[in-house]
Amino acid sequence: MQSNLVIFPNAGAAKKNTQTEEGTITNYDRAEEQFIELLAMEDLDHKLDVKPAIASEFEQALSRAIRAAYKNDRSDEQAHRFLQRILYRINRLKLFWYDDLRHYTNERSLYLSSCRELIEAAWQHWEQAQFDVPALQQLDVKQALIERTSADLDPILSESSRYIREEMTESGYRHLLAIGSFDGLVEASHLSRILGGVANEVQCTLMRVLIEEYGNGRLSRKHSTFFAQMLAEFGMNTEPEAYFDLVPWEVLASTNHNFLMTERKRYFLRYSGGLTYFEVAGPAVYKNYMVAAQRLGLSEVAVGYWELHIREDERHGRWMLDDVALPLAERYPNDAWELVLGYDQQKLMSDRAGIAVVQLIREAKQSV
């Protein structure tokens, strides 16, 4: 693996925590450090039963952050960031990172589960409030999905897309890769979590998507390998999560949402709708990155991941609509509207994350 030769500004350090509630400054950084210590404790649940005070500072910060992020008229960005980072640190235990086995000692901790559910309950209520669910329930689901996918195949260029295509510097491109590596180096991990069960055509299509994402079983062709090669081309760190502190909460929210959708089989339709959007809309996003790379005169290695995705996701998008989403709408007519909710939620989260990433690139002052 390459050493970390490229230094980026810490996304959280640029903004000091100034959120004040009831005369108290909430130090989310300190609370997160305490939570990291809790994660590493042997027999965490027993230790908390004996001495609950060891988690008091974290729990106070957690309660304040939930109010600040989801229950106030004016949402607090630092609270969002803290909550999504905590939620991700819990969720990531569902994946295997090929590291010290002791890191998973608390993967089934009841305390961690309760923290996750506390955050998710408030967060998901806040997210879903942004949609008119009764209106979605009245849709002709098949027609709605066909219209949405048709529009998202070739969308009108947004302000963020134009910036990437026309203005982003090579330094900005590296910044983009650093943030993108958070997902790009573990791609398709969520999909792998929902494939078990009774054999059927939908399951087999999803398996085909997963197999292609995993390079048909060859590490040299796995999509994450192409992303690592892009990073290495710039002398950047190719270890997963190396640039975690750069990742905005909007990107973390999308990842945590996928953890939740794949954790609960009741949300299978929502996840399938979300994955349909992701596969359909992906090529348009990657084309923006390709245009930027071509303008900057970057090498083929520096854009290999985008080229691969543009080619394969165009096919995956058709599979997801024709062989997954539409058949599921027929199989579950009373619940089919959840496919559209999942699609629309993923689109909202992806758009929100894209805007946040471009904003960070614009604000980055350090030349790399």
Side-chain angles (χ1 to χ4, degrees):
M1 295 295 183
Q2 297 289 324
S3 61
N4 187 3
L5 302 178
V6 180
I7 306 300
F8 293 94
N10 186 314
K15 299 178 181 179
K16 295 182 179 179
N17 291 331
T18 58
Q19 172 67 21
T20 303
E21 182 173 348
E22 300 174 356
T24 302
I25 297 176
T26 303
N27 192 325
Y28 293 131
D29 290 338
R30 188 168 68 241
E32 184 175 350
E33 286 300 317
Q34 184 183 52
F35 183 73
I36 292 171
E37 293 175 2
L38 294 174
L39 280 173
M41 284 186 181
E42 289 285 344
D43 201 8
L44 172 63
D45 289 353
H46 175 71
K47 285 186 170 64
L48 285 170
D49 286 340
V50 174
K51 190 176 181 181
I54 61 177
S56 60
E57 185 174 358
F58 163 71
E59 290 173 357
Q60 290 172 12
L62 186 65
S63 296
R64 288 171 179 157
I66 288 173
R67 290 196 299 272
Y70 308 128
K71 299 182 180 180
N72 288 347
D73 292 336
R74 185 175 181 180
S75 197
D76 181 85
E77 294 294 304
Q78 292 302 313
H80 276 290
R81 182 174 182 269
F82 170 71
L83 292 169
Q84 293 300 330
R85 285 169 66 91
I86 293 300
L87 192 54
Y88 175 75
R89 290 190 184 280
I90 299 172
N91 284 333
R92 71 183 298 279
L93 293 175
K94 299 297 182 180
L95 304 179
F96 188 60
W97 298 87
Y98 289 87
D99 54 356
D100 191 331
L101 297 178
R102 288 172 296 182
H103 291 168
Y104 306 91
T105 184
N106 291 309
E107 64 179 315
R108 302 194 70 182
S109 162
L110 293 177
Y111 179 75
L112 295 184
S113 178
S114 68
C115 290
R116 182 184 63 207
E117 292 183 12
L118 186 65
I119 298 171
E120 284 179 346
W123 168 48
Q124 285 293 308
H125 179 77
W126 179 80
E127 291 282 9
Q128 194 157 318
Q130 300 176 62
F131 295 91
D132 186 347
V133 171
L136 294 178
Q137 293 172 330
Q138 301 303 313
L139 289 174
D140 179 328
V141 171
K142 286 189 174 181
Q143 187 62 30
L145 289 170
I146 291 170
E147 290 175 354
R148 280 163 166 75
T149 55
S150 178
D152 291 325
L153 276 172
D154 188 21
I156 298 173
L157 289 180
S158 65
E159 180 183 349
S160 294
S161 295
R162 290 191 181 280
Y163 172 80
I164 289 172
R165 284 172 170 252
E166 301 169 5
E167 300 180 46
M168 185 172 64
T169 63
E170 183 174 323
S171 171
Y173 186 81
R174 298 185 188 195
H175 207 95
L176 177 71
L177 292 185
I179 297 173
S181 68
F182 174 68
D183 176 71
L185 294 178
V186 291
E187 187 180 359
S189 295
H190 294 106
L191 176 57
S192 68
R193 287 158 41 83
I194 55 96
L195 289 174
V198 176
N200 55 76
E201 291 294 338
V202 167
Q203 181 196 46
C204 288
T205 298
L206 292 172
M207 180 62 75
R208 288 166 66 197
V209 174
L210 179 70
I211 289 173
E212 288 204 354
E213 297 282 355
Y214 273 75
N216 291 300
R218 292 177 294 168
L219 181 60
S220 63
R221 302 300 300 172
K222 189 177 184 298
H223 289 189
S224 61
T225 298
F226 285 87
F227 205 105
Q229 289 171 351
M230 290 199 302
L231 294 169
E233 181 74 357
F234 292 104
M236 296 170 64
N237 197 326
T238 59
E239 292 287 346
E241 302 180 325
Y243 299 104
F244 179 61
D245 285 341
L246 282 178
V247 180
W249 73 262
E250 294 89 344
V251 172
L252 289 170
S254 183
T255 296
N256 285 326
H257 182 76
N258 282 324
F259 271 116
L260 174 60
M261 294 298 104
T262 54
E263 181 73 12
R264 306 221 12 220
K265 301 306 178 284
R266 177 61 185 84
Y267 296 153
F268 183 79
L269 296 186
R270 287 173 64 187
Y271 175 75
S272 297
L275 184 58
T276 299
Y277 170 78
F278 190 83
E279 297 293 344
V280 165
V285 175
Y286 303 137
K287 285 174 184 176
N288 292 333
Y289 304 157
M290 282 289 295
V291 170
Q294 290 166 356
R295 173 175 54 80
L296 294 168
L298 301 180
S299 71
E300 292 184 6
V301 175
V303 298
Y305 179 88
W306 316 132
E307 290 181 324
L308 177 66
H309 261 287
I310 291 170
R311 182 172 64 254
E312 293 199 353
D313 281 4
E314 288 176 347
R315 182 171 61 255
H316 292 175
R318 292 193 299 271
W319 292 353
M320 287 302 303
L321 177 64
D322 296 338
D323 300 330
V324 175
L326 296 181
L328 284 174
E330 290 186 1
R331 176 68 177 82
Y332 298 97
N334 294 331
D335 301 304
W337 64 272
E338 295 180 17
L339 288 158
V340 184
L341 175 61
Y343 187 101
D344 289 354
Q345 279 192 310
Q346 187 59 62
K347 180 174 182 176
L348 173 65
M349 289 185 174
S350 295
D351 288 348
R352 189 172 64 192
I355 291 171
V357 169
V358 169
Q359 184 63 30
L360 284 176
I361 291 173
R362 286 178 179 271
E363 292 175 353
K365 297 179 180 180
Q366 182 171 338
S367 178
V368 296

